[in-house]
């Protein structure tokens, strides 16, 4: 049973990734093409998900929107991973005051209310994808850092590491060739759940009006616009919502399945 | 075994829900007019209220020496009549026997206190500057007040519509006056919960029209969908202007609801920065005006609930002239003008563009949607527009500091044509004037200066007519449309009407069967 | 153990200090002038100066920071720039609504999740288990700003039973609580399942069964009681996410709580109120998290303190 969680997740994500990559080929219409006469029209032939408030094709917008979700997700998780692993390794390996300082800093970042920060940054910078990525990476790194640190703490006393130190292997080599490979598993699992989380938060930020720039077909922004017209065009919010759910579901399943695969004790 | 607690819970839920529904039905038997408003008033002290909601509610609680009637003409109110002694002196004869909501009698000292508390800076009021033309206020006796001006000031009577507060009560309450207001108006305050509800009760001793329904409850419902659902369900009796126009047809599908609409005075415009190197050429600005298809926007964003505008003043205003120039949609002409202005379509590049502009708006959804449509239309003449919504505080600051190329805002509640002085005179540049576009035309300066001190209304009318014509040639801003006022209400209500300024004073005449 | 607790609680202080400092500086450097927003455009320069002086906004940021710290410690959190009420009073008016919502959401979540988790654990690897966990994963994946309007559409519009918003009767709590609680429910269901499975594998359960205790008692009187501990602490750890989720739910349902206050005061650049809200939210988050963390460690003797 458990194996198919992983499989479903993997298939879902692959399909969505393909949609994102091949968007220009798959999308039946230009996602920005106005068609005011058909505004709010529900699903009909050629326009399977209906039209939005400007008459634009929702299906095409959702297809291009996959790029936004994945794009932001990958970038944020990527940046968080890099920073997080680096800091976690250093903190865990060095110990002492470096570690204490790291704990303090990560506590502060965790305690900081990210929505407030998002609002603040959006006021400084023009609404852009870059600012959204920036905001989301700021809190993201902590989970990975703490995880890596925890693993490093247990592993650093193991023989193969002590042996390496004794022969004089450089610190960085120890990080990359010896410590990291042993931690990849749990890190990947977290990355998977992390993607799901990032995509949710990005959508929420768009919903609060501090997300991506105007006209960007982010699924969250589409739901936001759809909610305005909920009473006359529910399809505008239902379809993007389903897709957010699918991508988040996909990553959650993937992570879940990965975790089961990596935990041989099995549940 | 495990099911039983669950079943019990369900039954309990059903019982409680029905009881709650019964209770609500019972309460609505008492005569209350339930109105839904979009945002809560910030203060109910007329000397401090600058936002629209606060001002409207203050109109229900306070009276001024003069008032505005249904056609927005200035008429006597707390003053029975007035005399203009000379160009700089006015005498007002106050109504006798008027009581404040606290029971204290109204007389001249309250008038003096109200104005002086602002003018002398005792209260940090945003209106202090507006009263700067007044030199002195003298109480000739308990019911006569004389105002002395520094120089002739044509819009003076407009200043007299300001709500009068009770001297003793305001002094006693101090800061709390904004929450516990005491005026002479047709309604008195019963309860004010910020961001939630304002409950008002009819003032039975009012000297003017006493409200027909004894209780008026203004419910603050910020979310559009919820406001509409409550109206449909019957929790709310009336909503004025607070429904996105595109949803009106859906709302009106409900059997028990009706709608009235009428022309309004809110004018939305496209502001431009004349200090910007692209926008400083009048041809460019005119081209933009030709490129915007207002009919399309009015049809598709307002469902027809707006009329094309040609001036800050609404056509209902006495100073609005006939025959003002129209900028009807003409993309071909727009293209020509841009070519002439030296901005041909750039060769190469996909898409081919002439130039790029940034259009700043607040984060209000409707504004953003309209800005996007304008951008879409300007794209047809190869002008690229970036729509940049900013959170209100940032947006406002950018507008005030001249950090913008294009922006959209509206003029609300303008009745006095002296607004042209504030908006177009070259001395009123930022950051503290309203001439945000940095428009400078010596002829306009001259005209508005004269009109400000000329007491003859006909003469003023001619002067302002010329101003408005020049403004349409120079186009420092592009007038877009006047939004219509509309009110959606239960059929069981009688006497529902609309004023062009969407004032709540119309609620006084509403009755419920 | 007390030693540990003491250490943890003391370590909160520098964190709170750092958070308040960062918030203070960010708020002050966001463009936008509260004086403009209060006095509007026609105000005289003299009045602006007077207000700026009264609000101490003219002085250099560091000096203002000094005042801020002083106020923080003395419990005088200032007054709202916007409507002159003490910040603490505003917060007091609003936090109740958020607490009610959060508790209702937790209640809803537990009501759904715990039975689901128990069933899944007891009928491990059966079709019930799969279905329950599938639904749980779906539950975590549904965005609550989407779920809210959808629930409103279905229950308030089409079916027409539940009231839509605001805070009148207790029935208006139902939809927001369900919206907010779904994510938590999903997480909780999985945790309950995992925790129950662990318990059911333990020796004392085998002994109980061998002694002939009925299966029902085994599940409820023995396993569940012990499984409860980690469940409770997980709930504590999720409070943070719950608090974040209330911002959106409050917006969707016009529920007048802290989230609404925070969003409104950010919009108005009402510095003292924003600071106050952020501080309260962060403090609550940090304290609850620390307590949950301690509880977790206390109940799981395998983890070294």
């Amino acid at each position: 049973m458990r194996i198919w969680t992983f499989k479903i997740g993997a298939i879902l994500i692959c399909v969505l990734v393909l949609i994102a990559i091949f968007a220009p080929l798959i999308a039946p219409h230009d996602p920005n093409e106005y068609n005011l006469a058909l505004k709010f029209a529900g699903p009909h032939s050629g326009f399977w998900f209906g039209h939005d408030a400007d008459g634009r094709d929702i299906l095409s917008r959702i297809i291009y929107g996959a790029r936004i979700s994945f794009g932001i997700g990958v970038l944020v998780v990527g940046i968080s991973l890099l920073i997080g692993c680096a800091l976690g390794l250093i903190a865990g390996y060095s110990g002492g005051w470096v570690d204490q300082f790291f704990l303090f800093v990560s506590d502060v970042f965790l305690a900081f209310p990210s929505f407030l920060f998002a609002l603040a940054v959006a006021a400084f910078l023009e609404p852009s994808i870059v600012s959204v990525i920036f905001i989301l990476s700021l809190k993201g790194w902590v989970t990975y850092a703490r995880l890596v640190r925890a693993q490093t703490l247990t592993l650093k006393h193991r023989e193969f590491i002590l042996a390496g130190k004794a022969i004089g292997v450089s610190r960085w080599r120890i990080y990359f060739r010896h410590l990291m490979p042993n931690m990849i598993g749990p890190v990947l699992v977290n990355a998977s759940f992390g993607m799901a989380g990032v995509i949710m938060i990005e959508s929420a930020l768009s919903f609060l009006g501090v997300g991506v720039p105007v006209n960007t077909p982010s699924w969250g922004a589409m739901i936001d616009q759809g909610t305005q017209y909920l009473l006359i065009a529910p399809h505008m919010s239902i379809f993007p919502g389903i897709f957010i759910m699918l991508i988040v579901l996909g990553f959650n399943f993937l992570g879940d399945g990965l975790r089961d695969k990596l935990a041989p004790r099995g549940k | 075994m495990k099911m039983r607690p669950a079943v019990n819970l369900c039954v309990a839920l059903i019982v409680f829900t029905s009881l709650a529904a019964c209770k609500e039905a019972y309460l609505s038997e008492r005569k209350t007019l339930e109105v839904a408003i979009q945002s809560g008033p910030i203060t109910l002290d007329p000397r401090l209220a600058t936002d629209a909601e606060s001002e409207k509610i203050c109109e229900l609680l306070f009276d001024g020496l003069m008032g505005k009637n249904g056609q927005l003409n200035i008429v006597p109110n707390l003053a029975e009549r007035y005399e203009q002694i000379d160009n700089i002196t006015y005498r007002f004869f106050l109504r006798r026997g008027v009581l404040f909501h606290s029971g204290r009698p109204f007389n001249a000292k309250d008038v003096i206190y109200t104005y002086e508390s602002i003018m002398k800076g005792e209260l940090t009021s945003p209106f202090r500057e507006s009263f700067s033309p007044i030199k002195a206020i003298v109480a000739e006796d308990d019911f006569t007040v004389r105002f002395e001006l520094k120089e002739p000031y044509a819009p003076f009577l407009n200043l007299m519509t300001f709500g009068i507060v009770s001297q003793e009560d305001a002094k006693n309450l101090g800061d709390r006056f904004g929450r516990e207001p005491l005026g002479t108006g047709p309604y008195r305050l019963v309860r004010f919960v910020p961001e939630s509800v304002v409950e008002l009760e009819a003032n039975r001793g009012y000297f003017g029209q006493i409200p027909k329904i004894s209780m008026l409850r203004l419910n603050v419902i910020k979310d559009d969908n919820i406001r509409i659902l409550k109206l449909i369900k019957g929790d709310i009796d009336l909503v004025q202007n607070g429904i996105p126009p595109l949803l009106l047809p859906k709302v009106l599908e409900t059997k028990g609801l009706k709608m009235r609409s009428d022309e309004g005075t809110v004018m939305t415009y496209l502001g431009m920065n004349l200090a910007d190197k692209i926008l400083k050429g009048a041809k460019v600005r005119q081209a933009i005006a030709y490129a915007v298809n207002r009919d399309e926007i009015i049809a598709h964003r307002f469902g027809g609930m707006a009329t094309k505008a040609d001036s800050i003043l609404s056509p209902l205003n006495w100073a609005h002239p006939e025959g003002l120039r129209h900028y009807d949609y003409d993309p071909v002409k727009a293209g020509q003008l841009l070519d002439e202005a030296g901005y041909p379509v750039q060769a190469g590049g996909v898409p081919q563009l002439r130039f790029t502009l940034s259009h700043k708006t607040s984060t209000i959804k409707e504004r953003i949607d309209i800005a996007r449509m304008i951008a879409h239309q300007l794209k047809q003449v190869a002008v690229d527009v970036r729509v940049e919504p900013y959170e209100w505080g940032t947006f406002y600051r950018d507008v005030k500091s001249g950090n913008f190329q294009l922006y959209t805002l509206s003029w609300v509640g303008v009745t006095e044509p002296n607004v042209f002085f504030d908006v177009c005179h070259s001395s009123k540049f930022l950051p503290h004037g309203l001439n945000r576009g940095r428009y400078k035309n010596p002829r306009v300066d001259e005209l508005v200066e004269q009109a400000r001190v000329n007491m003859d209304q006909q003469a003023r009318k001619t002067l302002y007519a010329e101003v408005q014509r020049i403004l349409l040639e120079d186009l420092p801003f592009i007038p877009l449309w006047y939004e219509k006022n509309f009110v959606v209400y239960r059929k069981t209500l009688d006497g529902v009407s609309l004023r062009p300024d969407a004032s709540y004073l119309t609620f006084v005449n509403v009755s419920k069967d | 153990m007390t030693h540990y607790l003491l250490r943890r609680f003391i370590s909160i202080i520098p964190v709170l200090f750092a958070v308040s400092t960062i918030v203070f500086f960010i708020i002050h450097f966001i463009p936008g002038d509260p004086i403009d927003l209060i006095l509007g455009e026609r105000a005289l320069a003299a009045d602006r100066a007077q207000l700026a002086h009264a609000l101490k906004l003219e002085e250099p940021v560091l000096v203002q920071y000094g005042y801020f710290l002083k106020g923080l410690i003395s419990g005088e959190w200032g007054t709202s720039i916007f409507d002159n009420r003490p910040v603490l009073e505003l917060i007091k008016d609003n936090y109740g609504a958020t607490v009610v919502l959060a508790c209702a959401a937790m209640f809803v979540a537990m009501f759904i999740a715990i039975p689901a988790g128990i069933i899944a654990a007891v009928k491990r690897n059966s079709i019930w288990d799969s279905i329950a966990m599938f639904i749980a994963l779906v539950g975590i994946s549904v965005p609550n700003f989407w779920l809210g309007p959808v629930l409103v559409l279905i229950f308030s519009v089409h079916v027409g039973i539940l009231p839509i918003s605001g805070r009148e009767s207790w029935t208006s709590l139902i939809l927001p609580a369900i919206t907010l609680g779904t994510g938590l429910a999903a997480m909780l269901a999985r945790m309950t399942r995992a925790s129950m499975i662990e318990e059911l594998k333990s020796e004392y359960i085998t002994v109980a069964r061998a002694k002939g205790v009925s299966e029902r008692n085994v599940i409820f009187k023995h396993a569940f009681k012990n499984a409860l501990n980690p469940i409770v602490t997980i709930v504590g750890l999720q409070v943070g996410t719950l608090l974040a989720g209330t911002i959106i739910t409050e917006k969707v349902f016009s529920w007048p709580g802290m989230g609404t206050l925070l969003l409104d005061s950010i919009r108005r650049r009402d510095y003292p109120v924003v600071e106050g809200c952020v501080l309260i939210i962060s403090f609550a988050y940090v304290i609850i998290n620390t307590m949950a963390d301690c509880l977790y460690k206390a109940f799981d003797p395998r983890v070294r303190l």
Side-chain angles (χ1 to χ4, degrees), chain C residues 7-295:
Chain C
R7 257 197 309 138
R8 280 309 296 263
F9 273 94
I10 293 183
S11 72
I12 298 184
I13 299 177
V15 172
L16 294 175
F17 180 78
V19 170
S20 21
T21 306
I22 297 179
V23 168
F24 175 85
F25 282 103
I26 290 184
I27 294 295
H28 274 81
F29 286 117
I30 298 178
D33 190 347
I35 297 192
D36 282 343
L37 297 171
I38 302 174
L39 292 182
E41 296 176 291
R42 298 180 185 219
L44 285 175
D47 290 324
R48 302 176 164 279
Q50 192 182 23
L51 189 58
H53 187 73
L55 296 173
K56 298 195 172 59
L57 288 174
E58 314 167 294
E59 315 189 35
V61 187
L62 285 177
V63 177
Q64 292 186 49
Y65 180 57
Y67 288 125
F68 167 70
L69 283 181
K70 204 172 93 177
L72 194 61
I73 301 173
S74 64
E76 275 174 15
W77 285 19
T79 35
S80 157
I81 292 180
F82 201 59
D83 63 3
N84 265 314
R85 291 202 295 155
V87 170
L88 283 176
E89 192 187 298
L90 277 169
I91 291 181
K92 199 165 60 99
D93 285 346
N94 288 54
Y95 87 94
T98 301
V99 168
V100 165
L101 179 58
C103 289
M106 276 200 281
F107 179 74
V108 164
M110 292 197 284
F111 189 72
I112 300 175
I114 295 181
I118 296 179
I119 296 179
V122 167
K123 309 221 180 189
R124 234 180 108 177
N125 289 332
S126 73
I127 186 81
W128 295 110
D129 185 11
S130 307
I131 293 181
M133 288 304 104
F134 186 85
I135 295 183
L137 271 175
V138 170
I140 308 178
S141 313
V142 172
N144 68 2
F145 54 89
W146 175 74
L147 184 60
V150 167
L151 288 179
V152 169
L153 194 61
I154 299 177
F155 289 99
S156 301
V157 182
H158 291 298
V159 178
I161 27 164
L162 294 169
I164 305 126
S165 85
R167 227 193 131 180
E168 309 106 42
S169 53
W170 70 270
T171 44
S172 53
L173 184 52
I174 298 180
L175 286 182
I178 294 181
T179 306
L180 190 55
T182 330
L184 184 61
M187 190 102 43
L188 212 50
R190 293 162 63 77
M191 286 314 302
T192 308
R193 176 186 179 276
S195 176
M196 280 295 287
I197 289 178
E198 278 303 307
E199 286 306 309
L200 287 170
K201 284 196 298 196
S202 336
E203 280 182 9
Y204 74 95
I205 294 290
T206 328
V207 168
R209 284 189 177 133
K211 276 167 65 177
V213 177
S214 75
E215 192 59 17
R216 191 167 152 204
N217 280 343
V218 164
I219 298 175
F220 292 106
K221 285 179 76 174
H222 299 286
F224 182 57
K225 281 224 185 84
N226 291 316
L228 206 50
N229 296 330
I231 292 175
V232 167
T233 57
I234 293 294
V235 169
L237 288 168
Q238 288 304 316
V239 168
T241 329
L242 204 62
L243 286 178
T246 55
I247 294 185
I248 293 183
T249 312
E250 284 181 23
K251 178 173 190 260
V252 171
F253 290 94
S254 292
W255 187 263
M258 289 289 289
T260 314
L261 181 62
L262 183 64
L263 285 178
D264 284 344
S265 48
I266 288 178
R267 188 172 39 91
R268 299 196 282 241
R269 299 282 191 276
D270 201 342
Y271 298 164
V273 181
V274 176
E275 281 155 9
C277 283
V278 171
L279 287 175
I280 292 276
I281 295 176
S282 317
F283 289 10
Y285 181 73
V286 170
I287 290 176
I288 293 179
N289 235 335
T290 310
M291 281 188 342
D293 215 29
C294 292
L295 268 176

Side-chain angles (χ1 to χ4, degrees), chain A residues 173-208:
Chain A
R173 237 178 118 85
I174 294 189
Y175 288 165
F176 291 115
R177 291 213 53 203
H178 302 289
L179 287 172
M180 274 312 301
N182 284 299
M183 300 190 250
I184 278 289
V187 168
L188 272 185
V189 172
N190 265 291
S192 194
F193 290 123
M195 278 289 276
V198 165
I199 290 173
M200 268 297 222
I201 298 182
E202 181 275 318
S203 314
L205 287 175
S206 296
F207 178 72
L208 287 178

Side-chain angles (χ1 to χ4, degrees), chain A residues 43-257:
Chain A
H44 64 120
S45 80
F47 295 90
W48 299 342
F49 286 174
H51 300 260
D52 71 1
D54 298 312
R56 296 179 293 190
D57 176 30
I58 293 183
L59 175 57
S60 305
R61 291 180 69 72
I62 287 185
I63 290 175
Y64 274 89
R67 294 185 153 187
I68 310 286
S69 298
F70 276 108
I72 295 184
V74 166
L75 279 169
V76 172
V77 171
I79 295 176
S80 306
L81 265 177
L82 276 171
I83 302 180
C85 290
L87 291 181
L89 273 171
I90 297 175
Y93 197 69
S94 316
W97 69 267
V98 172
D99 189 31
Q100 292 299 332
F101 184 66
F102 162 82
L103 278 177
F104 171 68
V105 169
S106 61
D107 266 340
V108 172
F109 270 90
L110 273 184
F112 198 84
S114 49
F115 276 140
L116 168 64
F117 196 66
L119 258 35
V121 174
F124 267 122
L125 309 170
E126 262 173 48
S128 73
I129 296 192
V130 171
S131 55
V132 172
I133 293 179
F134 177 62
I135 298 164
L136 296 177
S137 313
L138 275 161
K139 251 196 145 163
W141 67 269
V142 179
T143 327
Y144 304 115
R146 287 225 157 143
L147 180 67
V148 166
R149 169 186 173 273
Q151 298 273 51
T152 310
L153 281 176
T154 39
L155 285 175
K156 77 176 177 185
H157 295 297
R158 297 265 220 93
E159 279 128 13
F160 70 100
I161 300 290
L162 293 172
K165 263 168 96 170
I167 355 177
V169 177
S170 85
R171 177 181 256 251
W172 291 97
R173 237 178 118 85
I174 294 189
Y175 288 165
F176 291 115
R177 291 213 53 203
H178 302 289
L179 287 172
M180 274 312 301
N182 284 299
M183 300 190 250
I184 278 289
V187 168
L188 272 185
V189 172
N190 265 291
S192 194
F193 290 123
M195 278 289 276
V198 165
I199 290 173
M200 268 297 222
I201 298 182
E202 181 275 318
S203 314
L205 287 175
S206 296
F207 178 72
L208 287 178
V210 288
V212 294
V214 159
N215 278 334
T216 317
S218 142
W219 295 340
M222 288 174 72
I223 294 189
D224 184 33
Q225 207 201 26
T227 316
Q228 263 181 286
Y229 300 108
L230 190 65
L231 296 172
I232 49 176
H235 61 275
M236 279 173 72
S237 36
I238 291 183
F239 291 117
I242 292 179
F243 273 79
I244 294 183
M245 196 173 80
L246 287 176
I247 193 174
V248 170
L249 198 66
F251 278 111
N252 276 329
F253 275 18
L254 198 61
D256 212 40

